[in-house]
Amino acid sequence: MDKILEGLISSSHTVPVKKAIVKKVVEAAEKDVAAEECRALFTVTTRLILLGEDAFQKQVGFQVLEAYARYHRSEFESFFSKDFVLGLLHGGYEQVERKDPALVDLVHCGLRLLISCPAVLELFSVIQVEVLRLVCERPNPALCARLSTMLSDFVQCVPRDKAGVFFCQQLVRTISYFHCMVSQEQELEEYVGQVTKVSTLLQNIWKAEPATLLPSLQEVFAIISSTDPSFEPSIALASLVQHIPVQMITVLIKSLTTDQNVKDANMTKALCRMIDWLSWPLAHHVDTWVIALLKGLAAVQKFTILIDVTLLKIELVFNRLWYPIVRQGALAVLSHMLLSFQHSPEAFHLVIPHVVHLVQSLQADGLPSSKAFLLQFTELIHCMMYQYSGFPDLYDHILEAIKDLPKPSEEKVKLVLNQSAWTSQSNAFTCGPLRQAGKSETGKTGLVNLGNTCYMNSILQTLFMATDFRRHVLSLQLNGSNILMKKLQLLFAFLAHTQRAAYAPRNFLEASRPPWFNVGSQQDCSEYLRFLLDRLHEEEKTIQVLESTKPSVAPAALLDSSSTDPVGQTSPEESEASPLSPAESKAEEDTRTVIERTFGGKLVTGIRCMHCDGTSEKEEPFTDLSLAFCPSAASQDAPKSEGTSPEPKVVCQGSVNGGSEAPVPSSAADQASQVYPSPETSGPPLSVPDLLDYLLAPEILDQDNAYFCEKCGCLRRAEKTMKVVSAPEYLILTLLRFSYDAKYHVRRKILENVTIPPHLRLPVHNAAPLSCTSSPLQVDSPESSENLAKKLKPSQKDEDEDESEAGGGDASVQARYVLSSVVMHSGVSSESGHYYSYGHDITAADAEPFKEDARKVQGECGATPGPAGQGGTPPVRGPEGNDWLLFNDSRVTYASFRSVQNITNRFPKDTAYVLMYRKQELDGPHANKGPPANGLRQRAEPPLQKELLDAIIKDNKLYLQEQELNARSQAMQAPSSSCSFRPNGSDDNNPPGSCGPSGGGGGGGGGGGFNTISRLVF
């Protein structure tokens, strides 16, 4: 019969003929057959199974073997002996190698045929040893899958006891070597099926022998936590997660995260590889385990690992959202990673470039599942934009893409954020320098946030965009590296010429930070600006005094003129005449400091007794005007008794040459404590000219606020007026948005939108030239006991001013200004939020003189021309009309003036706080006299001095070296250990974000940022 079968298979008959003959051979198995003939048939069928040329021959081999083994069991038992099985598994079969899956199929078939024979027990014990040996040899997925199928059918072949534990561990490690090298869908499905069979075997063993589970999981962690660069475990290990009981999560994660033997580098590797498992198509509960491990690490305050892994893997997790089969689990992990990463917006900003494309794809999909997923995804995006609300340049296109989708309520957003935080607001986090992108298309340099230093960064960028001030500072010949002006000059030089995308101003921060500013804490940018200008002014004054005591033949001063000879040296005569600026027509004007000549103006405060007409006047210098908000329309319209007065307004003057640094406390502070989220009146919104008019409007002093007239010798009803008598070259306006809530004892923010005109008019009284007098007047600070009531004049204020001007006794001219910069505050409290600034590099085209017939020109803002303000539209330049720049710490992007005006409408928490206007030359009868801008204005950027140029060249070389080193480090895939954390008290205000370090560096002490973030405020 064996000869017939061999001849049939090798014959040229058709397949139907062959099948018919094979059927006859199978039917003959029921008859008596000699033992030798049976053995010959078993040999022939074994050859067909193992060496058959095609599937038909293999099928014939199995069919005939099973038929004759069933009817001639004793002969088959003798043929399929222990020695025969060992021979197959050790040496293979002729040219068939011992690791060929066909051998396992044959053994599997033999066991099935011998299941009722006593000899099978001996085979079981042999196979238990052999499968353990095979697994230790790391079989490929196909062989391992066949082996798993056999062991699932014959659990008696699975090793037991200690051997069983070892077998499970080795099987887990074998899975880690599975790597799919195919790309065809059918082959991929086959690969996934093979892995599923192996993981199912382990599941069955774990259920039958629970003692094998924990050692298996320990082996999984040992594999995925390996830092061996030559070994990368397969993501096929993800197939095991779904078989781990969910009830074990808490115990396992706690044990894992508190194990002192587990190093941070190993934990980081393990977590990264678990996140990679999200790509496995059939894995369930992977997201559950990843989130549980993230929470466990946060519970034990291992923030270094969390920060590193989040920044490394957040983009990969986001990319999984494109694949529907793994989308839901990926979204769960992405949500947790983003919502818990609350100390810095960097993680969210890494995925921002991909958000719009994903939203558009999901909207075009139209499937119900896609629509439901899109709702969850947009809710996450809304939460993140709320958390980090100070980046309109990044969020505008996202808001446009999701404008038709539901938006979660603010209460829900806050709840989600509070539940997702790494800590309970008791710890702060820190990390090393963040990754820097290339320099922006604007060509401008950002400033690295050194730990809640956005208040400083926004002010420095504003000063840098004050073109005349910047050029004058860069042209100064300064000796002595310890003076603050020298450090500012170096900072400006780096901002103008460094190749870095962002410069870290660490030295300047140390030198310019007010002593009462806590390191790493959120601070008021206006307070910092006043302190900085005062320091620069007092420092220069001190140097002038020291130089005045030296003989006229002394060497050049520490602060020297911008007018130098070709070799950069100033003559003694020039040094004596002007330590800071070129010699001008009046010697007394030479003593004014750069700050006085750039930002200094003068106010005259007058009080007129309404009984005897006696007048008392006092002149005060100022570097900025603090604009209080007008009382609400409702309070103005309500009837009041003569003695009732609204909130007193006190001008907060800079401390240059006297003046208070804060508003004088008043008894009407309760009114200032109110927060105005939006104007409730139906009229036009407030504008900067409105607030300026309100500041300069007369006040009536009466009853409790009555004025003591020295002429009358008693308290009298009086009128207090405030007039600008000298206009600064750069007018700084601070909007008093932070008011004290006497009821809750906190400072609240007034969120009311204020329209910002691109052009402004400031009434300057007296016929004298608009420049400051020869010698600044030293005056005392306003007495804190004054309690003045200010009331707006009726709507005829324009006519009253016209009448005043017509009288000739106190004529005024209109100083014209163009908007230069705006500092924005994003947040709802003075104790939290984020500062960023918009800047406009005003060129000669912008500085053209106003024409007298242009008074009625309306600006984009639509502000009505009034006594103190006028709208206008600056020339449109730059790409797509974006001639403004947005400075947001390390980021610098193009913006438009329309975006500056509309920022509060789109982002209610983002409001203008500090404005800087540049004075323009007048044309006509009131034209400015004398040298323009006190000699400050230069037509071009000054050339860099050699010392500054050398410092920048040195740092640019260092920057290139850093870039090369970073590239090598990334290629080596070295584990990151750049982050650290330090607990730092509590934050009762639950601020929305943080200003962490953001990378980059600079020469001259500008290199990387502080590794401390004291508050979760950015």
Side-chain angles (χ1 to χ4, degrees):
M1 192 67 70
D2 57 306
K3 299 298 183 182
I4 297 174
L5 189 60
E6 282 186 302
L8 173 66
I9 294 300
S10 60
S11 67
S12 59
H13 294 298
T14 61
V15 172
V17 173
K18 291 181 179 181
K19 286 184 177 181
I21 298 175
V22 168
K23 184 178 179 181
K24 296 295 184 180
V25 173
V26 170
E27 291 175 351
E30 300 178 5
K31 302 177 182 179
D32 292 336
V33 181
E36 292 183 1
E37 189 175 355
C38 283
R39 190 174 186 84
L41 273 173
F42 293 148
T43 301
V44 170
T45 52
T46 299
R47 289 178 58 84
L48 290 175
I49 292 171
L50 298 178
L51 303 175
E53 297 177 357
D54 52 35
F56 174 73
Q57 292 185 7
K58 295 178 183 295
Q59 180 183 0
V60 170
F62 276 115
Q63 189 177 0
V64 175
L65 177 66
E66 289 179 5
Y68 279 83
R70 185 178 301 111
Y71 289 102
H72 306 280
R73 195 171 299 275
S74 60
E75 287 80 2
F76 182 70
E77 185 176 354
S78 173
F79 172 80
F80 204 80
S81 63
K82 177 182 71 172
D83 294 334
F84 177 76
V85 172
L86 287 175
L88 290 177
L89 298 179
H90 283 180
Y93 189 87
E94 298 184 8
Q95 64 264 38
V96 177
E97 296 182 356
R98 62 188 182 86
K99 290 186 178 182
D100 195 304
L103 294 177
V104 177
D105 288 342
L106 179 60
V107 174
H108 187 187
C109 178
L111 291 176
R112 191 171 62 252
L113 295 174
L114 294 176
I115 190 61
S116 59
C117 299
V120 76
L121 299 177
E122 187 178 16
L123 289 179
F124 287 159
S125 61
V126 170
I127 294 175
Q128 283 182 0
V129 176
E130 291 304 312
V131 295
L132 183 57
R133 179 185 60 79
L134 276 174
V135 169
C136 291
E137 293 176 354
R138 308 291 174 253
N140 58 39
L143 177 58
C144 206
R146 305 285 180 85
L147 201 61
S148 299
T149 302
M150 181 184 73
L151 295 180
S152 296
D153 288 346
F154 296 96
V155 295
Q156 301 91 333
C157 297
V158 177
R160 304 287 179 179
D161 303 325
K162 292 183 178 180
V165 172
F166 185 66
F167 173 77
C168 290
Q169 291 176 322
Q170 292 303 311
L171 190 56
V172 166
R173 188 160 289 275
T174 297
I175 296 175
S176 70
Y177 282 87
F178 290 173
H179 291 286
C180 183
M181 303 300 179
V182 298
S183 57
Q184 298 298 323
E185 183 177 353
Q186 183 177 357
E187 295 173 327
L188 289 172
E189 291 179 355
E190 182 180 358
Y191 171 75
V192 172
Q194 292 167 351
V195 174
T196 301
K197 289 180 180 179
V198 180
S199 64
T200 302
L201 171 64
L202 274 172
Q203 177 193 18
N204 295 335
I205 296 176
W206 291 342
K207 286 182 178 180
E209 299 289 339
T212 61
L213 176 58
L214 187 58
S216 300
L217 297 182
Q218 291 172 340
E219 188 69 19
V220 171
F221 183 77
I223 293 169
I224 64 176
S225 63
S226 170
T227 57
D228 182 1
S230 64
F231 172 67
E232 184 60 34
S234 169
I235 66 168
L237 287 170
S239 61
L240 301 178
V241 174
Q242 59 189 325
H243 304 309
I244 303 173
V246 179
Q247 298 84 352
M248 296 184 65
I249 288 181
T250 303
V251 176
L252 290 176
I253 295 300
K254 183 177 181 181
S255 174
L256 193 61
T257 55
T258 56
D259 189 346
Q260 297 299 321
N261 296 321
V262 179
K263 298 181 180 179
D264 284 357
N266 299 107
M267 183 64 76
T268 301
K269 277 290 185 182
L271 184 53
C272 287
R273 286 163 175 162
M274 287 181 67
I275 292 173
D276 292 340
W277 291 354
L278 291 170
S279 303
W280 188 253
L282 300 181
H284 301 290
H285 307 308
V286 171
D287 56 321
T288 305
W289 279 91
V290 170
I291 293 173
L293 184 52
L294 290 171
K295 290 181 177 179
L297 291 170
V300 295
Q301 299 184 354
K302 292 190 176 181
F303 304 123
T304 298
I305 299 174
L306 293 171
I307 293 172
D308 287 348
V309 171
T310 300
L311 296 178
L312 184 64
K313 290 296 182 180
I314 194 72
E315 291 176 281
L316 181 142
V317 175
F318 187 92
N319 289 335
R320 298 304 96 190
L321 301 181
W322 289 93
Y323 304 97
I325 195 170
V326 298
R327 176 178 290 164
Q328 207 61 47
L331 179 62
V333 175
L334 179 72
S335 299
H336 181 82
M337 293 175 76
L338 288 178
L339 293 172
S340 61
F341 199 89
Q342 294 187 12
H343 73 287
S344 165
E346 191 193 10
F348 179 47
H349 289 177
L350 287 175
V351 303
I352 278 181
H354 316 295
V355 170
V356 172
H357 298 299
L358 179 62
V359 170
Q360 292 173 345
S361 175
L362 292 171
Q363 289 174 333
D365 193 340
L367 297 176
S369 58
S370 298
K371 291 181 180 179
F373 176 82
L374 185 58
L375 294 178
Q376 301 176 45
F377 179 69
T378 53
E379 181 175 305
L380 170 64
I381 297 302
H382 276 299
C383 288
M384 298 312 300
M385 289 192 295
Y386 179 90
Q387 174 77 0
Y388 309 113
S389 58
F391 300 89
D393 55 319
L394 298 179
Y395 301 161
D396 270 335
H397 63 295
I398 298 178
L399 285 174
E400 184 66 24
I402 62 176
K403 63 182 179 181
D404 297 327
L405 296 169
K407 181 180 179 180
S409 65
E410 185 174 356
E411 291 74 16
K412 183 175 183 181
V413 171
K414 290 181 178 179
L415 178 63
V416 170
L417 291 172
N418 290 338
Q419 291 176 342
S420 305
W422 277 339
T423 68
S424 57
Q425 303 134 29
S426 60
N427 293 319
F429 317 99
T430 182
C431 68
L434 306 179
R435 290 171 289 177
Q436 286 286 327
K439 204 162 188 177
S440 74
E441 60 179 349
T442 65
K444 298 293 184 180
T445 303
L447 286 172
V448 175
N449 194 306
L450 303 175
N452 290 331
T453 58
C454 56
Y455 69 90
M456 177 187 71
N457 292 348
S458 59
I459 291 301
L460 291 180
Q461 294 286 15
T462 296
L463 294 176
F464 183 78
M465 293 303 289
T467 309
D468 302 317
F469 179 66
R470 176 185 74 242
R471 290 173 178 175
H472 191 77
V473 169
L474 288 174
S475 65
L476 291 173
Q477 298 292 325
L478 303 174
N479 298 319
S481 59
N482 291 329
I483 62 174
L484 187 58
M485 183 64 80
K486 180 69 175 181
K487 296 182 185 297
L488 181 64
Q489 184 184 62
L490 182 65
L491 173 64
F492 279 3
F494 270 98
L495 285 178
H497 300 286
T498 184
Q499 291 184 1
R500 297 180 183 273
Y503 175 74
R506 178 161 59 183
N507 274 4
F508 191 81
L509 173 65
E510 291 291 343
S512 66
R513 183 176 57 234
W516 60 91
F517 276 21
N518 293 326
V519 175
S521 295
Q522 172 76 0
Q523 305 295 345
D524 189 315
C525 73
S526 176
E527 184 179 4
Y528 174 77
L529 174 60
R530 289 176 185 160
F531 178 82
L532 176 61
L533 297 182
D534 183 52
R535 275 281 309 277
L536 293 171
H537 166 78
E538 294 297 337
E539 182 180 79
E540 188 174 339
K541 276 290 190 185
T542 301
I543 292 175
Q544 288 181 3
V545 171
L546 293 176
E547 289 301 315
S548 66
T549 62
K550 297 181 180 180
S552 60
V553 296
L558 290 174
L559 293 177
D560 206 355
S561 169
S562 59
S563 299
T564 58
D565 57 27
V567 296
Q569 300 296 326
T570 307
S571 65
E573 292 79 11
E574 289 176 332
S575 176
E576 180 181 6
S578 175
L580 271 173
S581 64
E584 299 179 6
S585 59
K586 296 183 180 180
E588 55 268 27
E589 290 187 357
D590 297 338
T591 62
R592 287 173 300 148
T593 67
V594 173
I595 301 304
E596 286 179 298
R597 287 182 290 133
T598 308
F599 305 105
K602 288 189 177 181
L603 282 170
V604 170
T605 303
I607 302 179
R608 182 179 63 87
C609 176
M610 300 180 71
H611 180 76
C612 67
D613 282 337
T615 302
S616 171
E617 290 188 342
K618 180 173 60 175
E619 186 178 89
E620 295 178 298
F622 69 89
T623 52
D624 77 303
L625 297 177
S626 297
L627 305 182
F629 279 74
C630 313
S632 64
S635 64
Q636 290 186 42
D637 296 338
K640 298 179 183 178
S641 63
E642 189 176 359
T644 304
S645 62
E647 172 198 359
K649 305 296 190 299
V650 178
V651 181
C652 292
Q653 318 233 357
S655 57
V656 175
N657 294 327
S660 62
E661 293 202 16
V664 177
S666 69
S667 61
D670 291 339
Q671 293 189 16
S673 68
Q674 299 178 14
V675 178
Y676 303 98
S678 61
E680 298 178 359
T681 59
S682 58
L686 281 176
S687 66
V688 172
D690 293 335
L691 301 185
L692 198 52
D693 289 342
Y694 182 55
L695 172 70
L696 300 177
E699 299 177 359
I700 300 299
L701 309 181
D702 199 5
Q703 294 192 359
D704 291 342
N705 296 324
Y707 168 68
F708 182 83
C709 178
E710 294 182 358
K711 185 176 181 181
C712 298
C714 61
L715 295 174
R716 292 293 189 185
R717 193 168 187 265
E719 180 186 57
K720 178 182 178 182
T721 58
M722 190 178 295
K723 300 174 184 178
V724 177
V725 296
S726 177
E729 291 303 319
Y730 280 89
L731 175 64
I732 300 175
L733 302 176
T734 301
L735 276 57
L736 298 179
R737 290 192 173 275
F738 300 119
S739 57
Y740 181 70
D741 189 329
K743 180 178 179 181
Y744 296 102
H745 303 290
V746 295
R747 292 182 69 199
R748 298 189 181 277
K749 181 180 178 181
I750 301 172
L751 296 173
E752 185 168 358
N753 190 13
V754 176
T755 303
I756 305 171
H759 291 89
L760 191 73
R761 294 186 298 160
L762 179 69
V764 182
H765 293 261
N766 293 333
L770 298 182
S771 60
C772 295
T773 56
S774 60
S775 178
L777 180 63
Q778 300 294 329
V779 295
D780 295 330
S781 300
E783 294 182 359
S784 60
S785 60
E786 280 190 337
N787 189 7
L788 306 178
K790 173 171 288 188
K791 297 182 180 179
L792 278 175
K793 280 191 173 183
S795 58
Q796 304 94 325
K797 56 184 178 180
D798 295 346
E799 296 144 356
D800 292 345
E801 181 186 289
D802 293 338
E803 292 173 6
S804 173
E805 292 181 7
D810 189 19
S812 66
V813 296
Q814 301 294 326
R816 313 283 183 155
Y817 287 89
V818 62
L819 185 63
S820 170
S821 298
V822 181
V823 178
M824 296 286 182
H825 177 264
S826 175
V828 295
S829 166
S830 62
E831 302 299 325
S832 65
H834 177 54
Y835 290 107
Y836 58 95
S837 62
Y838 288 95
H840 180 49
D841 198 355
I842 301 175
T843 61
D846 298 307
E848 292 177 355
F850 266 107
K851 302 297 181 182
E852 289 298 326
D853 58 358
R855 304 183 70 174
K856 297 183 179 179
V857 175
Q858 294 288 334
E860 278 185 333
C861 61
T864 304
Q870 171 162 329
T873 304
V876 176
R877 289 177 302 278
E880 300 180 0
N882 293 334
D883 59 334
W884 281 73
L885 297 171
L886 171 56
F887 297 93
N888 202 332
D889 286 338
S890 300
R891 291 178 48 82
V892 185
T893 55
Y894 282 116
S896 65
F897 182 64
R898 186 174 298 277
S899 66
V900 178
Q901 291 179 311
N902 295 335
I903 188 69
T904 307
N905 292 330
R906 294 183 64 81
F907 303 94
K909 294 194 296 182
D910 294 30
T911 54
Y913 185 37
V914 177
L915 312 177
M916 183 177 289
Y917 283 86
R918 180 185 191 265
K919 190 167 71 173
Q920 295 182 308
E921 296 298 324
L922 293 179
D923 196 17
H926 298 300
N928 291 7
K929 307 298 181 183
N934 297 321
L936 283 173
R937 296 189 179 177
Q938 303 181 31
R939 294 300 179 184
E941 295 292 333
L944 275 184
Q945 300 165 34
K946 185 177 185 302
E947 182 183 4
L948 298 176
L949 184 60
D950 290 344
I952 292 173
I953 292 175
K954 179 180 178 181
D955 182 70
N956 283 340
K957 290 180 179 179
L958 177 62
Y959 172 68
L960 294 177
Q961 295 172 358
E962 292 172 358
Q963 292 296 96
E964 181 179 359
L965 181 61
N966 289 338
R968 291 183 179 182
S969 299
Q970 292 176 6
M972 296 175 62
Q973 296 182 350
S976 171
S977 59
S978 62
C979 298
S980 61
F981 79 97
R982 187 178 73 175
N984 192 45
S986 62
D987 187 343
D988 297 332
N989 292 309
N990 188 22
S994 168
C995 279
S998 47
F1010 293 139
N1011 285 330
T1012 302
I1013 301 176
S1014 297
R1015 294 173 64 90
L1016 299 183
V1017 185
F1018 72 98

